[in-house]
Amino acid sequence: GINAEYGKQWYQRRVPSLDALAAKFMGSDDKAAVAEEANTATKDMDKMAQYYYKVMKKCIEKGTDFIATEIDRLSRMLEGNITDEKRDQFTIRKNILAAFSTSGSDDAHSEL
């Protein structure tokens, strides 16, 4: 599992520049262009950073309701019997999904 020594920042795994792109994506009429910008920005980053782009692609395919649906799905999976590694991955994903929240809140649980 994630060790408390790493602190909240590592646990959240949010990238401020990508959070800004997430907000830009949600407010944009040209979501494909912002998604392409995120794809370019995350090319040399780790898999979790690339999740921002993956979320944008899914929103283009399925609509922005995907975010709330995915947060619910991850929450249900986190309640199950899963490995610490998966628990960490799902928690990080939920934190990244919160960056797409139109409420501007950092709390993934607010109004979702």
Side-chain angles (χ1 to χ4, degrees):
I2 294 174
N3 190 328
E5 290 173 26
Y6 285 109
K8 193 174 179 183
Q9 182 127 16
W10 186 91
Y11 193 56
Q12 288 182 340
R13 290 296 291 274
R14 300 258 301 260
V15 180
S17 61
L18 297 178
D19 281 358
L21 276 178
K24 181 178 174 182
F25 176 83
M26 294 306 286
S28 176
D29 291 332
D30 189 358
K31 291 190 179 347
V34 181
E36 219 24 69
E37 202 177 324
N39 186 29
T40 302
T42 60
K43 270 208 187 322
D44 297 324
M45 294 180 160
D46 70 10
K47 196 172 189 171
M48 283 286 116
Q50 291 171 4
Y51 187 65
Y52 284 87
Y53 172 62
K54 187 175 181 180
V55 170
M56 290 179 189
K57 279 195 336 191
K58 289 285 187 185
C59 286
I60 291 168
E61 289 171 24
K62 300 181 178 193
T64 53
D65 288 347
F66 165 79
I67 293 161
T69 305
E70 185 66 359
I71 287 172
D72 288 346
R73 186 183 78 85
L74 291 169
S75 295
R76 284 193 308 275
M77 289 169 65
L78 281 165
E79 291 169 9
N81 188 14
I82 57 175
T83 65
D84 286 346
E85 185 181 343
K86 283 288 182 196
R87 186 171 309 283
D88 293 349
Q89 285 178 6
F90 294 161
T91 301
I92 292 165
R93 284 182 184 180
K94 277 182 62 179
N95 288 332
I96 290 171
L97 285 163
F100 288 86
S101 170
T102 52
S103 68
S105 168
D106 280 349
D107 183 0
H109 301 291
S110 69
E111 307 196 346
L112 291 179

